[in-house]
Amino acid sequence: MAAWTFNLTGPMHLPEVFDLDENGNPSLTARPIKSETWSRHTFQLTKSFKKSEMEIYGGVENLFNDRQPVSPLVGINDPNANQWVSAHILIRYTLMHLCRVGNFI
């Protein structure tokens, strides 16, 4: 099974933020107070194995690497500043077959 998710974020009002220079002084001009429109695309593939009740799925988040030009978060060392493309592969095993009538642990 395949799934594609598309999230479109339109312009929104932002707080007035002044970046700091290397000496810690605020700059004379603020960041923009309105964001640009941006999108996020996520794609995921899932393979189910019915006999073993296991699923393997993998996907890519932010498929087209669309990022805001300036992080809306304040802080030069912020790890969440700009998220890049990220991939994941996971395995899920369902234990529900152990909970059926007569199979209590």
Side-chain angles (χ1 to χ4, degrees):
M1 178 170 63
W4 172 52
T5 304
F6 171 72
N7 183 3
L8 180 66
T9 304
M12 51 186 153
H13 295 284
L14 302 172
E16 188 174 40
V17 175
F18 292 85
D19 288 318
L20 302 178
D21 64 13
E22 60 276 353
N23 297 323
N25 300 318
S27 63
L28 299 176
T29 56
R31 290 183 181 185
I33 58 171
K34 195 166 193 178
S35 71
E36 297 179 12
T37 300
W38 62 286
S39 64
R40 184 175 183 97
H41 299 260
T42 302
F43 182 74
Q44 180 173 313
L45 289 173
T46 304
K47 172 65 177 166
S48 297
F49 301 94
K50 298 293 182 190
K51 291 183 180 180
S52 65
E53 299 189 34
M54 182 174 68
E55 289 182 339
I56 297 176
Y57 58 98
V60 178
E61 294 183 30
N62 198 11
L63 188 61
F64 300 114
N65 199 24
D66 194 2
R67 296 180 288 148
Q68 296 179 10
V70 176
S71 171
L73 303 172
V74 179
I76 193 164
N77 296 322
D78 189 353
N80 298 317
N82 278 325
Q83 295 182 357
W84 300 71
V85 174
S86 62
H88 59 273
I89 297 176
L90 301 162
I91 297 174
R92 177 176 28 213
Y93 184 73
T94 304
L95 299 175
M96 287 303 296
H97 66 283
L98 298 175
C99 299
R100 292 186 185 132
V101 176
N103 291 337
F104 292 107
I105 298 175

